Amino acid sequence: MTYEETYDATYEKAHDATYDESEAATTGLAAGRVAYAAGGRLIVDGITLAPRPGSTLGLIGPNGSGKSTLLRLLSGVLEPASGVVTLDGTPLPRLGRRETARRLAVVDQHASTQVELTVRDVVALGRVPHRKPWSASTAADERAVEEALDRTSLTDRAGQSWHTLSGGERQRAHIARALAQAPRELLLDEPTNHLDIQHQLDLLNLVASLPVTTVIALHDLNLAAMFCDEILVLKEGRAYAHGTPAEVITEPLIAEVYGVRARVTPPADPADPLDHPSVRFLRSSPRPSS
Amino acid sequence: MSTSVGGGTRDEAVGGTRGTDTGTGGRLRGGTSGGLRGALRGRLRGGLRAALLGLAGLAVLFLSIAFAITIGPADISVPDVWSAVAAHLGWGEAELTPIRDGIVWNLRMPRTVLAAVCGAGLAVCGAVLQSLLRNPLADPFVLGVSSGASTGAVAVVVLGVGGGVLTVSAGAFVGAVLSFSLVLLLSHTLGDTVDRVVLSGVAAMQLFSALTSFVVLTAADAETTRGVLFWLLGSLSGAAWTDVWLCAAVLFAALAVCLLHARALDAFAFGQDAAATLGVHVTRVRLVLLCTTALLTATLVSSAGAIGFVGLALPHAARAVVGAGHPRLLPVTALAGAVFLIWVDTLARTVLDPQEVPVGVVTSLIGVPAFVVVLYRTRKTT
């Protein structure tokens, strides 16, 4: 398949009618032609998506391509200028903040605090949307917190101050907090930034193993290829391509979207779901080689 | 001591290993695994402890009041003071002369109770604003309320605004409300972020301080200046029962509103976006809490002047003791503020007897060293 054909196929898929509100309206998180403008510029320009429940959707694209803004639209923190974000067919504003927070959780790049909190305190924040203002924590709250700590291997650190955690542990604590919300949808904005490779892999393995629908913005194309079921490529706020990692992560697309040269090794066995394309970037030659 | 966000007391599950009070930064002995059963047991134990802590705090508060009212320039014996109070509360007969009875019941008692109410209110406002604005330097006066109140009071005292109908308190209250409205309007126009609220508050503070200074220096004689200065520094000397009832009513209403939003305040720990994704209506909660704290501060300031330091320091001290979870932090801060200001006021009116030191001066003179000690004991060693 030539680049043109690949491009057409993936671009078509991003704008495919079967991948639109009609289907999206029924299950899970969906966005229908959402747009957002700031400073007279469209940051997100008519994105439509509906990740399959339980799957992991990766958002990739250069800086300023609208990944973070799209995630903020999906979480309801920002309201789209046009278009709609729905959970099981109900628009977020109609669902309400609290109800949204009970099933959709967000993990940011590096949310920090000056407040002196223990790891358990941070994880327990995830129960805020589930609790009434005056009531003490219930057994269900306790269980959710314990399970979230256990799942992220933070039980031993529960009593420790949040400020003493390493970067990787902090992100794990945030994921534990998100899990304590008992979400069905999890949105992550470049959660592996500033982590070393081992912690990046640990964290993404953890995320991929969670039984929730995940939308994750990632910088690293190899990580995106490894851990995402599907990838949506953003360029200047638009959906540039959409498909499986093998369909999307190609040399021409990388050249087109990022403007860099790369060698892409396709998966050896396209039928193996754990196999994935890998990307090797090339130095740009200082002057044209003869 | 233990801490917990969200009012529960779950960290007991790790065996209470968070040693905030161990002095040399030994707060980080790792928690042992608790498990669900431990968590539940800890919850009960922690709940009991919170209740005990609350009862102990109330006991200290009542003992402080009982002690503070026995002190004063008039030579009235301790049993006489208490029997006079008991008589007013409906037990037994008072044997004091009406004058001495009046000293106890109409001077000392309202003054002491007003000290408690002001201390509690200012400390709670500080705690709420520090969390809401994510700024450890925030205090009840960060919204420009105190300087607005000062200008209002000065306008009444020096310029005679209101033609004698408006009392100093009423003038102060009007000034405070005007100043806070200006802050809200400014911060809304300037972008409505937390930073803009703080900066608008600082701007309003400067503006109204300048107005106050201008009025005092151009229009007031020496005697009026002295009176105004005394008021500006905060003083409980004019306390009457009407002030007490008004302030107490506003305090309890404001406390109820703040406690209702205690969990939302917890959620602000990681910023407004994080709070929003935890289901908090950020704009609504912020407006409600800003208005509540401003109204409470305005009421207190119009009765007792701008008593500094309590609202800045007491929340930090309380946090160091019970942790950052607001369902517990707010009541503890209120109790601590109440007890603190009772003792400081007692000192303020006795230390240079018969002269009285403005209570706002003493809060800082005593508070700063205590504050440093608390911060030192809970410093981060990393």
Coordinates of all heavy atoms in Angstrom, one line a residue, chain A residues 75-123:
Chain A
S75 N -12.8 15.2 29.7 CA -13.1 15.1 31.1 C -14.2 16.1 31.6 O -14.6 16.0 32.7 CB -11.8 15.3 31.9 OG -11.4 16.7 31.8
G76 N -14.5 17.0 30.7 CA -15.6 18.0 31.1 C -15.0 19.2 31.8 O -15.8 20.1 32.2
V77 N -13.7 19.3 32.0 CA -13.1 20.4 32.7 C -13.3 21.6 31.8 O -13.6 22.7 32.2 CB -11.6 20.2 33.0 CG1 -10.9 21.5 33.4 CG2 -11.5 19.2 34.1
L78 N -13.1 21.4 30.4 CA -13.4 22.5 29.5 C -14.7 22.1 28.8 O -15.1 21.0 28.6 CB -12.3 22.6 28.4 CG -11.0 23.1 28.8 CD1 -10.0 23.1 27.6 CD2 -11.1 24.5 29.4
E79 N -15.5 23.2 28.4 CA -16.7 22.9 27.7 C -16.4 23.2 26.2 O -15.9 24.3 25.9 CB -17.8 23.8 28.2 CG -19.0 22.9 28.6 CD -20.2 23.8 29.1 OE1 -20.2 24.2 30.2 OE2 -21.0 24.0 28.2
P80 N -16.8 22.3 25.3 CA -16.5 22.5 23.9 C -17.3 23.7 23.4 O -18.4 23.9 23.8 CB -16.9 21.2 23.2 CG -17.8 20.5 24.2 CD -17.4 21.0 25.6
A81 N -16.6 24.4 22.4 CA -17.3 25.5 21.7 C -18.5 24.9 20.9 O -19.5 25.5 20.8 CB -16.4 26.3 20.9
S82 N -18.2 23.8 20.3 CA -19.3 23.1 19.6 C -19.0 21.6 19.7 O -17.9 21.2 20.1 CB -19.3 23.5 18.1 OG -18.1 23.0 17.5
G83 N -20.0 20.8 19.4 CA -19.9 19.4 19.5 C -20.2 19.0 21.0 O -20.6 19.8 21.8
V84 N -20.2 17.7 21.2 CA -20.6 17.2 22.5 C -19.8 16.0 23.0 O -19.4 15.2 22.1 CB -22.1 16.8 22.4 CG1 -22.4 15.7 21.5 CG2 -22.7 16.5 23.8
V85 N -19.6 15.9 24.3 CA -18.9 14.7 24.9 C -20.0 14.0 25.7 O -20.7 14.6 26.4 CB -17.8 15.1 25.8 CG1 -17.1 13.9 26.4 CG2 -16.7 15.9 25.0
T86 N -20.1 12.7 25.4 CA -21.2 11.9 26.1 C -20.6 10.7 26.9 O -19.6 10.2 26.5 CB -22.2 11.4 25.1 OG1 -21.6 10.6 24.2 CG2 -22.9 12.5 24.4
L87 N -21.3 10.4 27.9 CA -21.0 9.1 28.6 C -22.3 8.3 28.5 O -23.4 8.7 29.0 CB -20.7 9.4 30.1 CG -19.2 9.7 30.4 CD1 -19.1 10.1 31.9 CD2 -18.3 8.6 30.1
D88 N -22.2 7.1 27.9 CA -23.4 6.3 27.6 C -24.5 7.1 27.0 O -25.7 7.0 27.4 CB -23.9 5.7 28.9 CG -23.0 4.6 29.4 OD1 -22.1 4.2 28.6 OD2 -23.1 4.1 30.5
G89 N -24.2 8.0 26.1 CA -25.2 8.8 25.4 C -25.6 10.1 26.1 O -26.3 10.9 25.5
T90 N -25.3 10.3 27.4 CA -25.7 11.5 28.1 C -24.6 12.5 28.0 O -23.5 12.3 28.4 CB -26.0 11.2 29.6 OG1 -26.8 10.0 29.7 CG2 -26.7 12.4 30.2
P91 N -24.9 13.7 27.5 CA -23.9 14.8 27.5 C -23.4 15.1 28.9 O -24.1 15.1 29.9 CB -24.6 16.0 26.9 CG -25.8 15.4 26.2 CD -26.2 14.2 27.0
L92 N -22.1 15.4 29.0 CA -21.5 15.6 30.3 C -22.2 16.7 31.1 O -22.4 16.5 32.3 CB -20.0 15.9 30.2 CG -19.1 14.8 29.7 CD1 -17.6 15.2 29.8 CD2 -19.3 13.6 30.5
P93 N -22.5 17.9 30.5 CA -23.1 18.9 31.3 C -24.4 18.4 31.9 O -24.8 18.8 33.1 CB -23.4 20.1 30.3 CG -22.4 19.8 29.2 CD -22.2 18.3 29.2
R94 N -25.1 17.6 31.2 CA -26.4 17.1 31.8 C -26.2 16.1 32.9 O -26.9 16.0 33.8 CB -27.3 16.5 30.7 CG -28.8 16.7 31.0 CD -29.7 16.0 30.1 NE -29.4 16.2 28.7 CZ -29.7 15.3 27.8 NH1 -30.3 14.1 28.1 NH2 -29.5 15.5 26.5
L95 N -25.1 15.4 32.7 CA -24.7 14.3 33.7 C -24.3 15.0 35.0 O -24.6 14.5 36.1 CB -23.6 13.5 33.2 CG -23.4 12.1 33.8 CD1 -24.6 11.3 33.7 CD2 -22.2 11.4 33.1
G96 N -23.7 16.1 35.0 CA -23.2 16.8 36.2 C -21.8 16.4 36.6 O -21.4 15.3 36.3
R97 N -21.2 17.4 37.2 CA -19.7 17.2 37.6 C -19.5 15.9 38.5 O -18.7 15.1 38.3 CB -19.2 18.4 38.4 CG -18.8 19.6 37.6 CD -17.4 19.8 37.7 NE -16.6 18.7 37.2 CZ -16.2 18.5 36.0 NH1 -16.4 19.5 35.1 NH2 -15.5 17.5 35.6
R98 N -20.4 15.8 39.5 CA -20.2 14.8 40.5 C -20.4 13.4 39.9 O -19.6 12.5 40.1 CB -21.2 15.0 41.6 CG -20.9 14.3 42.9 CD -21.8 15.0 44.0 NE -22.4 13.9 44.8 CZ -21.9 13.5 45.9 NH1 -20.8 14.0 46.3 NH2 -22.5 12.6 46.6
E99 N -21.5 13.3 39.1 CA -21.9 12.0 38.5 C -20.8 11.7 37.5 O -20.4 10.5 37.4 CB -23.2 12.2 37.8 CG -24.1 11.0 37.7 CD -24.2 10.2 39.0 OE1 -24.5 10.9 40.1 OE2 -23.9 9.0 39.0
T100 N -20.2 12.6 36.8 CA -19.1 12.4 35.8 C -17.9 11.8 36.6 O -17.3 10.8 36.2 CB -18.8 13.7 35.1 OG1 -19.9 14.2 34.5 CG2 -17.7 13.4 34.0
A101 N -17.6 12.5 37.7 CA -16.4 12.1 38.5 C -16.6 10.7 39.1 O -15.6 10.0 39.4 CB -16.1 13.1 39.6
R102 N -17.8 10.2 39.2 CA -18.0 8.9 39.7 C -17.6 7.8 38.7 O -17.6 6.6 39.1 CB -19.4 8.7 40.2 CG -19.7 9.4 41.4 CD -21.2 9.3 41.7 NE -21.5 9.8 43.0 CZ -22.5 9.3 43.8 NH1 -23.1 8.3 43.5 NH2 -22.7 9.9 44.9
R103 N -17.5 8.1 37.5 CA -17.2 7.1 36.5 C -16.1 7.4 35.6 O -15.6 6.6 34.8 CB -18.4 6.6 35.8 CG -19.1 7.7 35.0 CD -20.1 7.1 34.0 NE -19.4 6.4 33.0 CZ -19.9 5.7 32.1 NH1 -21.3 5.5 32.1 NH2 -19.2 5.1 31.1
L104 N -15.6 8.7 35.6 CA -14.5 9.0 34.7 C -13.4 9.7 35.6 O -13.7 10.7 36.3 CB -15.0 10.0 33.7 CG -14.1 10.5 32.6 CD1 -14.8 10.7 31.3 CD2 -13.5 11.8 33.0
A105 N -12.2 9.2 35.5 CA -11.1 9.7 36.3 C -10.0 10.2 35.4 O -9.9 9.8 34.2 CB -10.6 8.6 37.2
V106 N -9.2 11.2 35.9 CA -8.2 11.8 35.1 C -6.9 11.8 35.8 O -6.8 12.0 37.0 CB -8.6 13.3 34.9 CG1 -7.5 14.0 34.0 CG2 -9.9 13.4 34.2
V107 N -5.8 11.4 35.1 CA -4.5 11.5 35.7 C -3.7 12.5 34.8 O -3.6 12.3 33.6 CB -3.8 10.2 35.7 CG1 -2.3 10.3 36.1 CG2 -4.5 9.2 36.6
D108 N -3.1 13.6 35.5 CA -2.4 14.6 34.7 C -0.9 14.4 34.7 O -0.4 13.4 35.3 CB -2.7 16.0 35.4 CG -3.7 16.8 34.6 OD1 -3.7 16.6 33.4 OD2 -4.4 17.6 35.2
Q109 N -0.3 15.2 33.9 CA 1.2 15.0 33.7 C 1.9 15.0 35.0 O 2.6 14.0 35.3 CB 1.7 16.2 32.9 CG 1.4 16.1 31.4 CD 2.1 17.2 30.6 OE1 3.3 17.5 30.9 NE2 1.4 17.8 29.7
H110 N 1.9 16.0 35.8 CA 2.5 15.9 37.1 C 1.8 16.9 38.0 O 2.3 18.0 38.3 CB 4.0 16.2 37.0 CG 4.4 17.3 36.1 ND1 5.4 17.2 35.2 CD2 3.9 18.5 35.9 CE1 5.5 18.3 34.4 NE2 4.6 19.1 34.8
A111 N 0.6 16.5 38.5 CA -0.1 17.3 39.4 C 0.6 17.2 40.8 O 1.0 16.2 41.2 CB -1.5 16.7 39.6
S112 N 0.9 18.4 41.3 CA 1.6 18.4 42.6 C 0.9 19.3 43.6 O -0.1 20.0 43.2 CB 3.0 19.0 42.3 OG 3.8 18.8 43.5
T113 N 1.3 19.2 44.8 CA 0.6 20.0 45.9 C 1.7 20.4 46.9 O 2.7 19.8 47.1 CB -0.4 19.1 46.5 OG1 -1.1 19.9 47.5 CG2 0.1 17.9 47.2
Q114 N 1.3 21.5 47.6 CA 2.1 21.9 48.8 C 1.6 21.3 50.1 O 2.2 21.4 51.1 CB 2.1 23.4 48.9 CG 2.8 24.1 47.7 CD 3.2 25.5 48.1 OE1 2.8 26.0 49.1 NE2 4.1 26.1 47.3
V115 N 0.4 20.8 50.0 CA -0.3 20.3 51.2 C 0.4 19.1 51.7 O 0.8 18.2 50.9 CB -1.8 20.1 50.9 CG1 -2.5 19.7 52.2 CG2 -2.4 21.3 50.3
E116 N 0.5 18.9 53.0 CA 1.2 17.8 53.6 C 0.1 16.6 53.6 O -0.8 16.6 54.5 CB 1.7 18.2 55.0 CG 2.5 17.1 55.6 CD 3.7 16.7 54.8 OE1 4.4 17.6 54.3 OE2 3.9 15.5 54.7
L117 N 0.3 15.7 52.7 CA -0.7 14.6 52.6 C 0.1 13.2 52.6 O 1.2 13.2 52.1 CB -1.5 14.7 51.4 CG -2.4 15.9 51.2 CD1 -2.9 15.9 49.7 CD2 -3.5 15.8 52.1
T118 N -0.6 12.2 53.2 CA 0.0 10.9 53.0 C -0.5 10.3 51.7 O -1.4 10.8 51.1 CB -0.4 10.0 54.2 OG1 -1.8 9.8 54.1 CG2 -0.1 10.5 55.5
V119 N 0.2 9.2 51.3 CA -0.2 8.5 50.1 C -1.7 8.1 50.2 O -2.5 8.3 49.3 CB 0.6 7.3 49.8 CG1 0.1 6.5 48.6 CG2 2.1 7.7 49.6
R120 N -2.1 7.6 51.4 CA -3.5 7.2 51.6 C -4.4 8.4 51.5 O -5.5 8.2 50.9 CB -3.6 6.6 53.0 CG -5.0 6.0 53.2 CD -5.1 5.4 54.6 NE -4.2 4.4 54.9 CZ -4.4 3.1 54.6 NH1 -5.5 2.8 54.0 NH2 -3.5 2.2 54.8
D121 N -4.0 9.5 52.0 CA -4.8 10.7 51.8 C -5.1 11.0 50.3 O -6.2 11.3 49.9 CB -4.1 12.0 52.4 CG -4.0 11.9 53.9 OD1 -4.8 11.2 54.5 OD2 -3.1 12.5 54.5
V122 N -4.0 11.0 49.6 CA -4.1 11.3 48.1 C -5.1 10.3 47.5 O -6.0 10.7 46.7 CB -2.7 11.3 47.5 CG1 -2.9 11.4 46.0 CG2 -1.9 12.4 48.0
V123 N -4.9 9.0 47.8 CA -5.7 8.0 47.2 C -7.2 8.2 47.6 O -8.1 8.1 46.8 CB -5.2 6.6 47.5 CG1 -6.2 5.5 46.9 CG2 -3.8 6.4 47.0

